[in-house]
Amino acid sequence: MNLKPFKTFNLSFITLELYDNYVISTIQEGVLFDLPYLNVVMEIYENHYGKKPFVLIAQRIYDYTINPTCYMVASKKLNLLGIAVVCKSNSAYKTALFEKNFYKNAYEPFPTLEEAIDWSH
């Protein structure tokens, strides 16, 4: 397993660590992740993965809000095999279960990053 990302992006609203078959994303505290942010992230994914399928691993370290529409757009425009959400709290886990309703492909919450990475393979 590759332990170091081949590329890291530290943007004002998110940190992205790109690996061969998955991305680890960490959205910053208080962000309202909406379509303009999604468009920036999708451009990065498209530039680095092209048509190659990958898994998104979202680390829920901070409190933030995602517009549920982003899940629907991402499922249509990206080559995502699935989304894993690493939940550091019970409230993050409940939020992930709610958001699962908006993403029609594979979507699973996990208590640890290691479990999410294992699932991604």
Side-chain angles (χ1 to χ4, degrees):
M1 178 165 73
N2 186 4
L3 299 177
K4 290 190 177 187
F6 68 81
K7 186 81 173 175
T8 299
F9 292 87
N10 291 304
L11 306 176
S12 63
F13 63 97
I14 195 169
T15 298
L16 300 171
E17 297 175 347
L18 280 62
Y19 296 81
D20 290 337
N21 299 311
Y22 61 90
V23 175
I24 298 175
S25 71
T26 306
I27 297 177
Q28 300 304 314
E29 180 76 34
V31 167
L32 169 54
F33 193 90
D34 209 346
L35 294 176
Y37 285 150
L38 177 63
N39 289 331
V40 170
V41 170
M42 286 193 313
E43 184 174 332
I44 291 170
Y45 296 157
E46 289 168 0
N47 287 338
H48 292 278
Y49 291 106
K51 296 189 182 291
K52 180 181 177 181
F54 63 98
V55 171
L56 171 62
I57 300 173
Q59 286 200 100
R60 291 273 169 97
I61 296 173
Y62 306 109
D63 289 329
Y64 56 85
T65 304
I66 297 178
N67 178 341
T69 304
C70 291
Y71 289 108
M72 293 178 267
V73 171
S75 67
K76 292 178 184 175
K77 292 191 174 186
L78 292 174
N79 292 319
L80 283 176
L81 293 172
I83 298 175
V85 182
V86 180
C87 303
K88 300 293 184 183
S89 68
N90 192 41
S91 64
Y93 181 78
K94 288 179 182 178
T95 299
L97 289 178
F98 171 74
E99 290 171 351
K100 185 176 183 174
N101 294 312
F102 298 97
Y103 188 71
K104 300 306 177 200
N105 298 328
Y107 181 108
E108 294 297 326
F110 294 94
T112 68
L113 180 59
E114 293 76 19
E115 289 174 275
I117 292 170
D118 287 345
W119 179 82
S120 77
H121 295 294

